[in-house]
Amino acid sequence: MTGENAPRDGAHLSVADGELATELAEVMWAFLRRLRAETTRSELPLAQQAVLARLHATPAMTSSDLARAELVSPQAMNSTVAAARTAGLVRADRDEADGRRMVLHLTADGEVALREAREGRQTWLVGRIEVLSAEQRAGLDVTLATLRALLDDGHQTRVGTR
């Protein structure tokens, strides 16, 4: 079976699906590299930017929650959170429901750092979007919805919507 009737279990991909997957991965990696290039103009490391963005969207997460959400090891997340705490970007408070747990929140400095870190990539992205035709912009809206559907695998991965 190929095409629309093919099983989607990964074992029976059509040639077209395999080629599409390869091209999508290549384009996404190239886009990510370019986005990182724009983002690294900020002094805030990407891992800390991810933590700040996640805590901005979902306050009061534990370091373990963050590790699961960002798909990294707990040890890596603990290191990232420790650096953010040392920099005064994140604070840890005892969980009111379970005093053994520490929940993380952005500080005012963390909010400012997140906003500043986003500015470089936002400026670049807006500039790139502005050169698109109306048809391409409409296609981008559809593509974003499709990418969100691809990310929806039951994990707590949360991608912002407009």
Side-chain angles (χ1 to χ4, degrees), residues 70-158:
E70 293 297 319
L71 305 175
V72 299
S73 71
Q75 295 84 355
M77 185 54 69
N78 287 339
S79 175
T80 300
V81 167
R85 287 183 66 189
T86 299
L89 306 175
V90 172
R91 75 171 195 279
D93 299 322
R94 294 236 176 254
D95 186 348
E96 293 177 12
D98 182 351
R100 298 169 295 173
R101 292 174 21 124
M102 298 297 287
V103 293
L104 303 167
H105 299 273
L106 284 182
T107 63
D109 287 346
E111 292 280 353
V112 169
L114 178 60
R115 186 175 55 254
E116 289 175 354
R118 288 177 167 168
E119 285 177 1
R121 81 173 161 255
Q122 181 76 3
T123 299
W124 174 74
L125 280 170
V126 167
R128 300 306 303 147
I129 290 169
E130 286 176 344
V131 302
L132 298 176
S133 68
E135 182 178 284
Q136 288 172 317
R137 287 181 192 195
L140 186 55
D141 276 341
V142 172
T143 300
L144 288 172
T146 303
L147 289 172
R148 282 189 196 98
L150 288 174
L151 284 173
D152 186 13
D153 60 0
H155 290 101
Q156 291 186 12
T157 303
R158 182 183 181 282

Side-chain angles (χ1 to χ4, degrees), residues 3 5 7 9 17 23 27-28 30 48-50 59-60 70 72 74 95 99 128 133 149 152 162:
N5 297 324
D9 62 5
D17 285 347
E23 187 172 355
V27 169
M28 295 300 291
Q48 287 185 36
Q49 289 180 43
E70 293 297 319
V72 299
D95 186 348
R128 300 306 303 147
S133 68
D152 186 13
R162 290 186 279 150

Side-chain angles (χ1 to χ4, degrees), residues 32-43:
L32 182 58
R33 283 190 302 274
R34 181 61 191 266
L35 197 57
R36 281 185 176 154
E38 296 300 325
T39 303
T40 56
R41 294 171 195 216
S42 161
E43 293 184 19

